[in-house]
Amino acid sequence: MGIVKGFVGLQGIYDVRALVESHPTYEDWFVRPALGPATPPDEDPTASTWAAASPVRYARLAPGLEHAAHLIVHSPEDELVEVDQSLAWARRLSELGATQVEVVDDAARIGGSHDGMLEKREFFELVKAWIAKQVSV
């Protein structure tokens, strides 16, 4: 295994186009100011900034990262980004050859709003325990 042992993803946006499809109002106040307009339908969608900012669109993992562990944490109470974003990223990681992907998306282990999750002790304990496990491997 290389130097990077793991990644932690938090309630992320992993597919910008899917986010805008779920929340059309996000395009004008958030996505376009940050990333520019969507690629016109007749152009290659993988060339857009939306695709570049969407890990689910990645064609491959960087060499060696398929062995890194991935923890994806998403509160089911997140009011801004659907859990489906995290589930899609987990599926894509597996498709790309990642061998250690763990998703925590159940209210019994983690909860809170999009920002509120970061204020919960349970969140920090979860991540702390996961990092300790990666360091000991």
Side-chain angles (χ1 to χ4, degrees):
M1 182 187 294
I3 294 173
V4 176
K5 290 194 173 203
F7 298 91
V8 178
L10 309 174
Q11 313 211 127
I13 300 169
Y14 299 106
D15 187 338
V16 175
R17 189 169 302 279
L19 179 76
V20 170
E21 288 171 3
S22 296
H23 302 279
T25 61
Y26 284 18
E27 183 172 357
D28 290 335
W29 71 265
F30 171 62
V31 176
R32 279 180 182 256
L35 301 173
T39 305
D42 58 336
E43 293 182 24
D44 178 7
T46 62
S48 77
T49 56
W50 287 24
S54 299
V56 298
R57 310 264 181 214
Y58 290 177
R60 63 181 175 80
L61 293 173
L65 293 186
E66 65 276 0
H67 301 296
H70 298 265
L71 173 65
I72 303 168
V73 183
H74 204 124
S75 169
E77 299 165 13
D78 186 339
E79 76 286 10
L80 299 177
V81 179
E82 286 76 21
V83 171
D84 287 349
Q85 287 271 335
S86 291
L87 298 176
W89 177 226
R91 279 190 304 275
R92 185 66 182 142
L93 282 168
S94 295
E95 290 168 1
L96 294 174
T99 57
Q100 301 177 65
V101 180
E102 179 182 354
V103 177
V104 176
D105 64 348
D106 59 283
R109 293 181 64 194
I110 195 73
S113 66
H114 186 78
D115 294 328
M117 181 184 82
L118 300 174
E119 299 171 358
K120 301 228 176 219
R121 181 175 186 85
E122 295 84 3
F123 165 73
F124 288 100
E125 293 299 325
L126 173 79
V127 173
K128 179 179 155 185
W130 185 84
I131 290 172
K133 183 171 82 174
Q134 303 316 311
V135 171
S136 68
V137 173

